[in-house]
Amino acid sequence: MRKLVIFIVLSCCFFFAKAQHTHNDIEHTLSIGLGGIMSPYTSIQLEHTFYKSRISVGEHLKTFFTIKDNSVFFTGPQLELFGRFYFTDQRIKHGNHWFLHLKGGYGNMSIPWSDNADDYLYDVNEVMTLDENGNPIRIYNDNFIRYGGGVAFGYKTCSCKDWIFEILLGYHFWAAPDYYNSEYLKWKNDDPCNCTNYEESDWTYGFPIDIQVKVGKLLGKK
């Protein structure tokens, strides 16, 4: 599934670039912003707008920073590739530029609890549980991947001095990562009496509503 999503996004980017190869006039916009609701992040985005076209492609790097006590949240970078279709010519200054936004992405996440004793497994007698090699069993994986995609509608405006403001609202879906350690799951499944705070429904793919706010600057033409 992950390879398929990445292949589709890269194919779309290649198609758009190929279609615009007749002219080498490309504008680049660099922007920074905030996003997320349940899992907030900072972001940096680079967008490439083709000559006399309502189509653009770009790269969007997110860095998740949410850490909540007694909850399963994650931190780490996530890279997304996106394509946009503008309903009006976005190169017109002071215009209302509504657009359709499609994206696919890949992230390498971690749960930053490496020094937290709650990450290790204890039995009912508060004795640390060991695996078959005599090592303490961790409940969560040190790192995991997440991948998925989404669709959104957005609004973008450009000032007379080439400053950019945009806001985006949509829906995205991310595959549920294996954030529980395999040794922990093996211990839990070996005996029905092995019960901890494990819950399948703690987190599946994250909050589905995608919201982003960014400010940026038009860098010029290539």
Side-chain angles (χ1 to χ4, degrees):
M1 176 65 180
R2 181 190 65 189
K3 293 182 178 179
L4 178 60
V5 171
I6 295 175
F7 174 76
I8 292 174
V9 173
L10 291 177
S11 297
C12 291
C13 293
F14 175 78
F15 172 78
F16 292 147
K18 187 71 174 178
Q20 302 300 326
H21 187 66
T22 56
H23 199 288
N24 197 36
D25 190 4
I26 304 176
E27 288 185 348
H28 307 281
T29 302
L30 180 66
S31 57
I32 59 174
L34 295 172
I37 298 178
M38 300 298 293
S39 299
Y41 56 83
T42 58
S43 70
I44 182 169
Q45 176 180 287
L46 186 61
E47 182 181 9
H48 318 285
T49 303
F50 301 111
Y51 177 73
K52 290 185 178 180
S53 173
R54 295 185 180 184
I55 293 174
S56 71
V57 296
E59 304 83 34
H60 188 200
L61 178 62
K62 300 177 178 178
T63 302
F64 290 86
F65 59 85
T66 302
I67 302 176
K68 299 278 189 179
D69 293 336
N70 302 319
S71 299
V72 179
F73 284 92
F74 53 84
T75 61
Q78 179 172 297
L79 177 63
E80 297 177 356
L81 302 179
F82 66 86
R84 288 179 177 177
F85 175 78
Y86 286 85
F87 298 102
T88 57
D89 184 0
Q90 75 272 24
R91 300 159 75 92
I92 301 174
K93 302 295 189 294
H94 307 294
N96 297 323
H97 313 305
W98 297 93
F99 59 85
L100 174 67
H101 181 98
L102 300 173
K103 69 175 183 179
Y106 170 88
N108 187 1
M109 304 289 125
S110 64
I111 300 175
W113 293 353
S114 58
D115 298 326
N116 191 336
D118 293 338
D119 192 14
Y120 292 97
L121 181 63
Y122 295 84
D123 62 20
V124 293
N125 298 314
E126 298 299 321
V127 176
M128 183 175 289
T129 305
L130 305 179
D131 62 19
E132 56 187 15
N133 297 320
N135 299 316
I137 296 178
R138 301 181 68 101
I139 298 176
Y140 302 104
N141 283 321
D142 290 333
N143 57 73
F144 51 82
I145 62 173
R146 67 196 301 252
Y147 54 90
V151 59
F153 285 98
Y155 168 86
K156 174 181 175 182
T157 185
C158 182
S159 74
C160 59
K161 294 186 178 180
D162 293 334
W163 286 100
I164 300 295
F165 170 82
E166 69 174 54
I167 185 169
L168 179 151
L169 179 65
Y171 177 90
H172 57 177
F173 182 90
W174 296 90
D178 296 324
Y179 64 102
Y180 283 112
N181 192 296
S182 60
E183 290 294 334
Y184 168 70
L185 294 178
K186 179 180 178 181
W187 171 86
K188 180 180 180 300
N189 294 328
D190 280 345
D191 188 339
C193 294
N194 289 339
C195 297
T196 63
N197 61 350
Y198 171 87
E199 293 183 17
E200 288 280 2
S201 60
D202 270 351
W203 178 57
T204 53
Y205 58 85
F207 195 72
I209 303 301
D210 186 18
I211 183 169
Q212 302 173 22
V213 178
K214 304 187 192 73
V215 294
K217 180 73 172 178
L218 181 65
L219 301 180
K221 302 175 182 179
K222 179 180 177 181

